[in-house]
Coordinates of all heavy atoms in Angstrom, one line a residue:
A76 N 28.2 -7.7 -6.3 CA 27.3 -7.9 -5.2 C 26.6 -6.6 -4.7 O 25.6 -6.6 -4.1 CB 28.1 -8.5 -4.0
S77 N 27.2 -5.4 -5.1 CA 26.6 -4.2 -4.7 C 26.3 -3.3 -5.9 O 25.9 -2.2 -5.7 CB 27.6 -3.4 -3.8 OG 28.8 -3.1 -4.4
A78 N 26.5 -3.8 -7.1 CA 26.2 -3.0 -8.3 C 24.7 -3.1 -8.7 O 24.1 -4.1 -8.4 CB 27.1 -3.5 -9.4
Q79 N 24.2 -2.0 -9.3 CA 22.8 -2.0 -9.8 C 22.9 -1.4 -11.2 O 23.6 -0.5 -11.5 CB 21.9 -1.2 -8.9 CG 21.8 -1.8 -7.5 CD 20.7 -1.1 -6.7 OE1 19.6 -1.0 -7.1 NE2 21.1 -0.5 -5.5
L80 N 21.9 -1.9 -12.0 CA 21.9 -1.4 -13.4 C 20.5 -0.8 -13.6 O 19.5 -1.5 -13.3 CB 22.1 -2.6 -14.3 CG 22.3 -2.3 -15.8 CD1 23.6 -1.6 -16.0 CD2 22.4 -3.6 -16.6
F81 N 20.4 0.4 -14.2 CA 19.2 1.1 -14.5 C 19.1 1.4 -16.0 O 20.0 1.9 -16.6 CB 19.1 2.4 -13.7 CG 19.1 2.1 -12.2 CD1 20.3 2.3 -11.5 CD2 18.0 1.8 -11.5 CE1 20.4 2.1 -10.1 CE2 18.0 1.6 -10.1 CZ 19.2 1.7 -9.4
K82 N 17.9 1.0 -16.5 CA 17.7 1.2 -17.9 C 17.2 2.6 -18.2 O 16.2 3.0 -17.7 CB 16.7 0.2 -18.4 CG 16.4 0.2 -19.9 CD 15.5 -0.9 -20.3 CE 15.1 -0.8 -21.8 NZ 14.2 -1.9 -22.2
L83 N 17.9 3.3 -19.1 CA 17.4 4.7 -19.5 C 16.8 4.6 -20.9 O 16.1 5.5 -21.3 CB 18.6 5.7 -19.5 CG 19.3 5.9 -18.1 CD1 20.4 6.9 -18.3 CD2 18.2 6.4 -17.1
G84 N 17.1 3.6 -21.7 CA 16.6 3.4 -23.0 C 16.9 2.0 -23.5 O 17.4 1.2 -22.7
T85 N 16.6 1.8 -24.8 CA 16.9 0.4 -25.3 C 18.4 0.1 -25.3 O 18.7 -1.1 -25.2 CB 16.3 0.3 -26.7 OG1 16.8 1.3 -27.5 CG2 14.8 0.4 -26.6
V86 N 19.2 1.1 -25.5 CA 20.7 0.9 -25.6 C 21.5 1.6 -24.5 O 22.7 1.6 -24.6 CB 21.2 1.2 -27.0 CG1 20.6 0.2 -28.0 CG2 20.9 2.6 -27.4
Q87 N 20.8 2.4 -23.6 CA 21.5 3.2 -22.7 C 21.1 2.9 -21.3 O 19.9 2.7 -20.9 CB 21.2 4.7 -22.9 CG 22.1 5.7 -22.2 CD 21.9 7.1 -22.7 OE1 21.1 7.4 -23.5 NE2 22.7 8.0 -22.1
F88 N 22.1 2.8 -20.4 CA 22.0 2.3 -19.0 C 22.8 3.2 -18.1 O 23.8 3.8 -18.5 CB 22.3 0.8 -18.8 CG 21.5 -0.1 -19.7 CD1 21.8 -0.3 -21.0 CD2 20.4 -0.8 -19.1 CE1 21.0 -1.2 -21.8 CE2 19.6 -1.6 -19.8 CZ 19.9 -1.8 -21.2
I89 N 22.5 3.1 -16.8 CA 23.4 3.6 -15.8 C 23.8 2.4 -14.9 O 22.9 1.7 -14.4 CB 22.7 4.7 -14.9 CG1 22.5 6.0 -15.8 CG2 23.5 5.0 -13.7 CD1 21.8 7.1 -15.1
C90 N 25.1 2.3 -14.6 CA 25.5 1.3 -13.6 C 26.1 2.0 -12.4 O 26.9 2.9 -12.6 CB 26.6 0.4 -14.3 SG 27.2 -1.0 -13.2
V91 N 25.6 1.7 -11.2 CA 26.0 2.3 -10.0 C 26.4 1.3 -9.0 O 26.0 0.1 -9.0 CB 24.9 3.3 -9.5 CG1 24.6 4.4 -10.4 CG2 23.6 2.5 -9.2
S92 N 27.2 1.8 -8.0 CA 27.6 0.9 -6.9 C 27.3 1.6 -5.5 O 27.6 2.7 -5.3 CB 29.1 0.6 -7.0 OG 29.5 -0.3 -5.9
D93 N 26.6 0.8 -4.6 CA 26.3 1.3 -3.3 C 27.6 1.3 -2.4 O 28.3 0.3 -2.4 CB 25.3 0.4 -2.7 CG 24.7 0.9 -1.4 OD1 25.2 1.9 -0.9 OD2 23.7 0.3 -0.9
D94 N 27.8 2.4 -1.7 CA 29.0 2.5 -0.9 C 28.9 1.9 0.5 O 29.8 1.9 1.3 CB 29.6 3.9 -0.8 CG 28.6 4.8 0.0 OD1 27.6 4.3 0.5 OD2 28.9 6.0 0.1
N95 N 27.6 1.4 0.8 CA 27.3 0.7 2.1 C 27.6 1.6 3.3 O 28.0 1.1 4.3 CB 28.1 -0.6 2.2 CG 27.6 -1.6 1.2 OD1 26.4 -1.8 1.1 ND2 28.5 -2.3 0.5
S96 N 27.5 2.9 3.1 CA 27.8 3.8 4.3 C 26.7 3.6 5.3 O 25.5 3.5 5.0 CB 27.8 5.3 3.8 OG 27.8 6.1 4.9
E97 N 27.1 3.5 6.6 CA 26.1 3.3 7.7 C 25.3 4.6 7.9 O 24.2 4.6 8.4 CB 26.8 2.9 8.9 CG 27.4 1.5 8.8 CD 26.3 0.4 8.6 OE1 25.2 0.6 9.2 OE2 26.6 -0.6 8.0
E98 N 26.0 5.8 7.7 CA 25.4 7.0 8.1 C 24.4 7.5 7.0 O 23.4 8.0 7.3 CB 26.5 8.1 8.4 CG 27.4 7.8 9.6 CD 28.4 8.9 9.8 OE1 28.4 9.8 9.0 OE2 29.2 8.7 10.7
E99 N 24.8 7.4 5.8 CA 24.0 7.9 4.7 C 24.2 7.0 3.5 O 25.3 6.8 2.9 CB 24.4 9.3 4.3 CG 23.5 9.9 3.2 CD 23.9 11.3 2.8 OE1 24.7 11.8 3.5 OE2 23.3 11.8 1.9
R100 N 23.1 6.4 3.1 CA 23.2 5.5 1.9 C 23.3 6.3 0.6 O 22.5 7.1 0.3 CB 22.0 4.5 1.9 CG 21.8 3.7 3.1 CD 20.8 2.6 2.9 NE 21.4 1.6 2.0 CZ 20.8 0.5 1.6 NH1 19.6 0.2 2.1 NH2 21.3 -0.4 0.8
S101 N 24.4 6.0 -0.1 CA 24.6 6.8 -1.4 C 25.4 5.9 -2.3 O 25.7 4.7 -2.0 CB 25.4 8.1 -1.1 OG 26.6 7.8 -0.5
F102 N 25.8 6.4 -3.5 CA 26.5 5.7 -4.4 C 28.0 6.1 -4.5 O 28.2 7.3 -4.5 CB 25.9 5.8 -5.8 CG 24.5 5.2 -5.9 CD1 23.4 6.0 -6.1 CD2 24.4 3.9 -5.9 CE1 22.2 5.5 -6.2 CE2 23.1 3.3 -5.9 CZ 22.0 4.1 -6.1
S103 N 28.9 5.2 -4.4 CA 30.3 5.5 -4.4 C 30.8 5.8 -5.8 O 31.8 6.5 -6.0 CB 31.1 4.4 -3.8 OG 30.9 3.2 -4.5
K104 N 30.1 5.2 -6.9 CA 30.5 5.4 -8.2 C 29.4 5.1 -9.2 O 28.4 4.5 -8.8 CB 31.7 4.5 -8.6 CG 31.4 3.0 -8.6 CD 32.6 2.2 -8.9 CE 33.5 2.1 -7.8 NZ 34.6 1.1 -8.0
G105 N 29.5 5.7 -10.4 CA 28.4 5.4 -11.4 C 28.9 5.8 -12.8 O 29.7 6.7 -12.9
V106 N 28.5 5.0 -13.8 CA 28.8 5.3 -15.1 C 27.6 5.2 -16.0 O 26.7 4.5 -15.7 CB 29.9 4.3 -15.7 CG1 31.2 4.6 -15.0 CG2 29.5 2.9 -15.5
N107 N 27.6 6.0 -17.1 CA 26.6 6.0 -18.1 C 27.1 5.2 -19.3 O 28.2 5.5 -19.8 CB 26.2 7.4 -18.6 CG 25.0 7.5 -19.4 OD1 24.8 6.6 -20.3 ND2 24.2 8.5 -19.2
I108 N 26.4 4.1 -19.6 CA 27.0 3.2 -20.7 C 26.0 3.2 -21.8 O 24.8 3.3 -21.7 CB 27.3 1.8 -20.2 CG1 26.0 1.2 -19.6 CG2 28.3 1.8 -19.1 CD1 26.2 -0.3 -19.1
K109 N 26.5 3.0 -23.1 CA 25.7 3.0 -24.3 C 26.2 1.9 -25.2 O 27.4 1.8 -25.4 CB 25.7 4.4 -24.9 CG 24.8 4.5 -26.1 CD 24.8 5.9 -26.7 CE 23.7 6.0 -27.8 NZ 23.7 7.4 -28.4
F110 N 25.3 1.1 -25.7 CA 25.6 0.1 -26.6 C 25.3 0.4 -28.1 O 24.5 1.4 -28.4 CB 24.8 -1.2 -26.3 CG 25.2 -1.8 -24.9 CD1 24.6 -1.4 -23.8 CD2 26.2 -2.7 -24.8 CE1 24.9 -1.9 -22.6 CE2 26.6 -3.3 -23.6 CZ 25.9 -2.8 -22.5
G111 N 25.9 -0.3 -29.0 CA 25.7 -0.1 -30.4 C 24.4 -0.6 -30.9 O 23.8 -0.1 -31.9
S112 N 23.8 -1.6 -30.3 CA 22.5 -2.1 -30.7 C 21.7 -2.7 -29.6 O 22.3 -2.9 -28.5 CB 22.8 -3.3 -31.7 OG 23.4 -4.4 -31.1
E113 N 20.4 -2.9 -29.8 CA 19.6 -3.4 -28.8 C 19.9 -4.9 -28.5 O 19.8 -5.3 -27.3 CB 18.1 -3.3 -29.2 CG 17.1 -3.7 -28.2 CD 15.7 -3.5 -28.6 OE1 15.5 -2.8 -29.6 OE2 14.8 -3.9 -27.9
K114 N 20.4 -5.6 -29.4 CA 20.9 -7.0 -29.2 C 22.0 -7.0 -28.3 O 22.1 -7.9 -27.3 CB 21.2 -7.6 -30.6 CG 21.7 -9.1 -30.5 CD 22.0 -9.6 -31.8 CE 22.5 -11.1 -31.7 NZ 23.9 -11.1 -31.1
D115 N 23.0 -6.1 -28.4 CA 24.2 -6.1 -27.5 C 23.7 -5.7 -26.1 O 24.2 -6.3 -25.1 CB 25.2 -5.1 -28.0 CG 25.9 -5.5 -29.3 OD1 25.8 -6.7 -29.6 OD2 26.5 -4.7 -30.0
S116 N 22.8 -4.8 -26.0 CA 22.4 -4.4 -24.7 C 21.7 -5.5 -24.0 O 21.8 -5.7 -22.7 CB 21.5 -3.1 -24.8 OG 20.3 -3.4 -25.4
K117 N 20.8 -6.2 -24.7 CA 20.1 -7.3 -24.1 C 21.0 -8.4 -23.6 O 20.9 -9.0 -22.5 CB 19.0 -7.9 -25.1 CG 18.1 -9.0 -24.5 CD 17.1 -9.5 -25.4 CE 16.2 -10.5 -24.8 NZ 16.8 -11.6 -24.1
E118 N 22.0 -8.8 -24.4 CA 23.0 -9.8 -24.0 C 23.7 -9.4 -22.8 O 24.0 -10.2 -21.9 CB 23.9 -10.1 -25.2 CG 23.2 -10.9 -26.3 CD 24.2 -11.1 -27.5 OE1 25.3 -10.6 -27.4 OE2 23.8 -11.8 -28.4
F119 N 24.1 -8.1 -22.7 CA 24.8 -7.6 -21.6 C 24.0 -7.7 -20.3 O 24.4 -8.1 -19.2 CB 25.3 -6.2 -21.8 CG 25.9 -5.5 -20.6 CD1 27.2 -5.7 -20.2 CD2 25.1 -4.7 -19.8 CE1 27.8 -5.2 -19.1 CE2 25.7 -4.1 -18.6 CZ 27.0 -4.4 -18.3
C120 N 22.7 -7.3 -20.4 CA 21.8 -7.3 -19.3 C 21.6 -8.7 -18.8 O 21.6 -8.9 -17.5 CB 20.4 -6.7 -19.6 SG 20.5 -4.9 -19.9
D121 N 21.4 -9.7 -19.7 CA 21.2 -11.0 -19.3 C 22.4 -11.5 -18.5 O 22.3 -12.2 -17.5 CB 21.0 -11.9 -20.5 CG 19.6 -11.7 -21.1 OD1 18.8 -11.0 -20.4 OD2 19.4 -12.1 -22.3
S122 N 23.6 -11.2 -19.0 CA 24.9 -11.7 -18.3 C 25.0 -11.0 -17.0 O 25.4 -11.6 -16.0 CB 26.1 -11.4 -19.2 OG 26.1 -12.1 -20.4
F123 N 24.7 -9.7 -16.9 CA 24.8 -8.9 -15.7 C 23.9 -9.6 -14.6 O 24.4 -9.8 -13.5 CB 24.3 -7.5 -15.9 CG 24.4 -6.6 -14.7 CD1 25.5 -5.9 -14.4 CD2 23.3 -6.5 -13.8 CE1 25.6 -5.1 -13.2 CE2 23.3 -5.7 -12.7 CZ 24.5 -5.0 -12.4
E124 N 22.7 -10.0 -14.9 CA 21.8 -10.6 -14.0 C 22.3 -11.9 -13.5 O 22.3 -12.2 -12.3 CB 20.4 -10.8 -14.6 CG 19.6 -9.5 -14.8 CD 19.3 -8.8 -13.5 OE1 19.1 -9.4 -12.4 OE2 19.3 -7.5 -13.5
E125 N 22.9 -12.7 -14.4 CA 23.4 -14.0 -14.0 C 24.6 -13.9 -13.2 O 24.8 -14.6 -12.1 CB 23.7 -14.8 -15.3 CG 22.5 -15.3 -16.1 CD 21.6 -16.2 -15.3 OE1 22.2 -17.1 -14.5 OE2 20.4 -16.2 -15.4
W126 N 25.5 -13.0 -13.5 CA 26.8 -12.9 -12.8 C 26.5 -12.2 -11.4 O 27.1 -12.6 -10.4 CB 27.8 -12.0 -13.5 CG 28.5 -12.8 -14.6 CD1 28.1 -13.1 -15.8 CD2 29.8 -13.3 -14.5 NE1 29.0 -13.8 -16.5 CE2 30.1 -14.0 -15.7 CE3 30.8 -13.3 -13.5 CZ2 31.3 -14.6 -15.9 CZ3 32.0 -13.9 -13.7 CH2 32.3 -14.6 -14.9
R127 N 25.5 -11.3 -11.4 CA 25.2 -10.7 -10.1 C 24.5 -11.7 -9.2 O 24.8 -11.7 -8.0 CB 24.3 -9.5 -10.3 CG 24.0 -8.7 -9.0 CD 23.3 -7.4 -9.3 NE 23.2 -6.6 -8.1 CZ 22.2 -6.7 -7.2 NH1 21.2 -7.6 -7.4 NH2 22.2 -5.9 -6.1
K128 N 23.6 -12.5 -9.7 CA 22.9 -13.5 -8.9 C 24.0 -14.5 -8.3 O 23.9 -14.9 -7.2 CB 21.9 -14.3 -9.8 CG 21.1 -15.3 -9.0 CD 20.2 -16.1 -10.0 CE 19.3 -15.2 -10.7 NZ 18.4 -16.0 -11.6
D129 N 25.0 -14.8 -9.1 CA 26.0 -15.7 -8.7 C 26.8 -15.0 -7.5 O 27.2 -15.7 -6.6 CB 27.0 -16.0 -9.8 CG 28.1 -16.9 -9.4 OD1 27.9 -18.1 -9.2 OD2 29.2 -16.4 -9.3
A130 N 27.1 -13.7 -7.7 CA 27.8 -13.0 -6.7 C 27.1 -13.0 -5.3 O 27.7 -13.2 -4.3 CB 28.1 -11.6 -7.1
L131 N 25.7 -12.8 -5.4 CA 24.9 -12.7 -4.2 C 24.8 -14.1 -3.5 O 24.8 -14.2 -2.3 CB 23.6 -12.2 -4.5 CG 23.5 -10.7 -4.9 CD1 22.1 -10.3 -5.4 CD2 24.0 -9.8 -3.9
V132 N 24.7 -15.2 -4.3 CA 24.5 -16.5 -3.8 C 25.8 -17.0 -3.1 O 25.8 -17.6 -2.1 CB 24.1 -17.5 -4.9 CG1 24.2 -18.9 -4.4 CG2 22.7 -17.2 -5.4
H133 N 26.9 -16.8 -3.8 CA 28.2 -17.3 -3.3 C 29.0 -16.4 -2.4 O 30.0 -16.7 -1.9 CB 29.1 -17.7 -4.5 CG 28.5 -18.9 -5.2 ND1 27.6 -18.8 -6.2 CD2 28.8 -20.3 -5.0 CE1 27.3 -20.0 -6.6 NE2 28.0 -20.9 -6.0
G134 N 28.4 -15.2 -2.2 CA 29.0 -14.3 -1.2 C 30.0 -13.3 -1.8 O 30.7 -13.6 -2.8
S135 N 30.2 -12.2 -1.2 CA 31.2 -11.2 -1.6 C 31.5 -10.4 -0.4 O 30.8 -10.3 0.5 CB 30.6 -10.3 -2.7 OG 31.5 -9.3 -3.1
S136 N 32.7 -9.8 -0.5 CA 33.2 -9.1 0.7 C 32.4 -7.9 1.0 O 32.5 -7.4 2.1 CB 34.7 -8.7 0.4 OG 34.7 -7.8 -0.8
T137 N 31.6 -7.4 0.1 CA 30.8 -6.2 0.4 C 29.4 -6.4 0.7 O 28.6 -5.5 0.9 CB 30.9 -5.2 -0.9 OG1 30.3 -5.9 -2.0 CG2 32.3 -4.9 -1.2
V138 N 28.9 -7.6 0.7 CA 27.5 -7.9 1.0 C 27.3 -7.9 2.5 O 28.0 -8.5 3.3 CB 27.2 -9.3 0.5 CG1 25.7 -9.7 0.9 CG2 27.3 -9.4 -1.0
S139 N 26.2 -7.1 2.9 CA 25.9 -7.0 4.3 C 25.0 -8.1 4.7 O 24.1 -8.5 4.0 CB 25.2 -5.7 4.6 OG 24.6 -5.6 5.9
A140 N 25.2 -8.7 5.9 CA 24.4 -9.9 6.3 C 23.2 -9.4 7.1 O 22.4 -10.3 7.5 CB 25.3 -10.8 7.2
S141 N 23.1 -8.1 7.4 CA 22.0 -7.7 8.2 C 20.7 -7.7 7.4 O 20.6 -7.5 6.2 CB 22.3 -6.2 8.7 OG 22.4 -5.4 7.6
K142 N 19.6 -7.9 8.2 CA 18.2 -7.9 7.5 C 17.8 -6.5 7.2 O 18.3 -5.5 7.9 CB 17.2 -8.6 8.5 CG 17.5 -10.0 8.7 CD 16.3 -10.7 9.3 CE 15.9 -10.1 10.6 NZ 14.8 -10.8 11.2
S143 N 16.9 -6.3 6.3 CA 16.4 -5.0 6.0 C 15.4 -4.6 7.0 O 15.0 -5.3 7.9 CB 15.7 -5.0 4.6 OG 14.5 -5.7 4.7
K144 N 15.1 -3.3 7.0 CA 14.1 -2.7 7.9 C 12.8 -3.4 7.8 O 12.1 -3.7 8.8 CB 14.0 -1.2 7.7 CG 13.2 -0.5 8.7 CD 13.3 1.0 8.5 CE 12.7 1.8 9.6 NZ 12.8 3.2 9.4
F145 N 12.4 -3.8 6.6 CA 11.1 -4.5 6.4 C 11.1 -5.8 7.1 O 10.2 -6.2 7.8 CB 10.9 -4.7 4.9 CG 9.6 -5.4 4.5 CD1 8.4 -4.7 4.3 CD2 9.6 -6.8 4.4 CE1 7.3 -5.4 4.0 CE2 8.4 -7.4 4.1 CZ 7.3 -6.7 3.9
D146 N 12.2 -6.6 6.9 CA 12.3 -7.9 7.6 C 12.3 -7.8 9.1 O 11.9 -8.8 9.7 CB 13.6 -8.6 7.1 CG 13.6 -8.9 5.6 OD1 12.5 -9.1 5.0 OD2 14.6 -8.9 4.9
D147 N 12.8 -6.7 9.6 CA 12.9 -6.6 11.1 C 11.5 -6.5 11.7 O 11.3 -6.9 12.9 CB 13.7 -5.4 11.5 CG 15.2 -5.6 11.3 OD1 15.6 -6.8 11.3 OD2 16.0 -4.7 11.1
K148 N 10.5 -5.9 11.0 CA 9.2 -5.7 11.6 C 8.1 -6.6 11.1 O 7.0 -6.6 11.6 CB 8.8 -4.2 11.4 CG 8.6 -3.8 10.0 CD 8.2 -2.3 9.9 CE 7.9 -1.9 8.5 NZ 7.6 -0.5 8.3
I149 N 8.4 -7.3 10.0 CA 7.3 -8.2 9.4 C 7.8 -9.6 9.4 O 8.9 -9.9 9.0 CB 7.1 -7.8 7.9 CG1 6.6 -6.3 7.9 CG2 6.0 -8.7 7.3 CD1 5.3 -6.0 8.6
E150 N 7.0 -10.5 10.0 CA 7.4 -11.9 10.1 C 7.5 -12.5 8.7 O 6.7 -12.2 7.8 CB 6.4 -12.7 10.9 CG 5.0 -12.7 10.5 CD 4.0 -13.4 11.4 OE1 4.1 -13.1 12.7 OE2 3.2 -14.2 11.0

Side-chain angles (χ1 to χ4, degrees):
S77 61
Q79 297 186 58
L80 193 66
F81 299 95
K82 182 178 180 181
L83 299 181
T85 56
V86 296
Q87 192 168 3
F88 299 81
I89 290 177
C90 185
V91 294
S92 180
D93 190 350
D94 67 1
N95 291 316
S96 169
E97 292 295 330
E98 296 182 0
E99 180 179 357
R100 301 195 69 179
S101 60
F102 296 110
S103 59
K104 67 182 73 173
V106 292
N107 191 320
I108 60 177
K109 187 175 182 181
F110 294 89
S112 69
E113 187 174 349
K114 179 176 179 292
D115 290 342
S116 68
K117 185 179 186 307
E118 290 178 351
F119 173 82
C120 290
D121 291 343
S122 294
F123 180 91
E124 289 298 324
E125 290 298 323
W126 281 78
R127 186 171 186 273
K128 185 186 301 182
D129 179 75
L131 294 174
V132 169
H133 291 85
S135 176
S136 58
T137 60
V138 176
S139 171
S141 61
K142 293 195 300 182
S143 73
K144 191 172 187 179
F145 180 91
D146 297 329
D147 286 336
K148 67 182 182 181
I149 301 299
E150 60 187 45

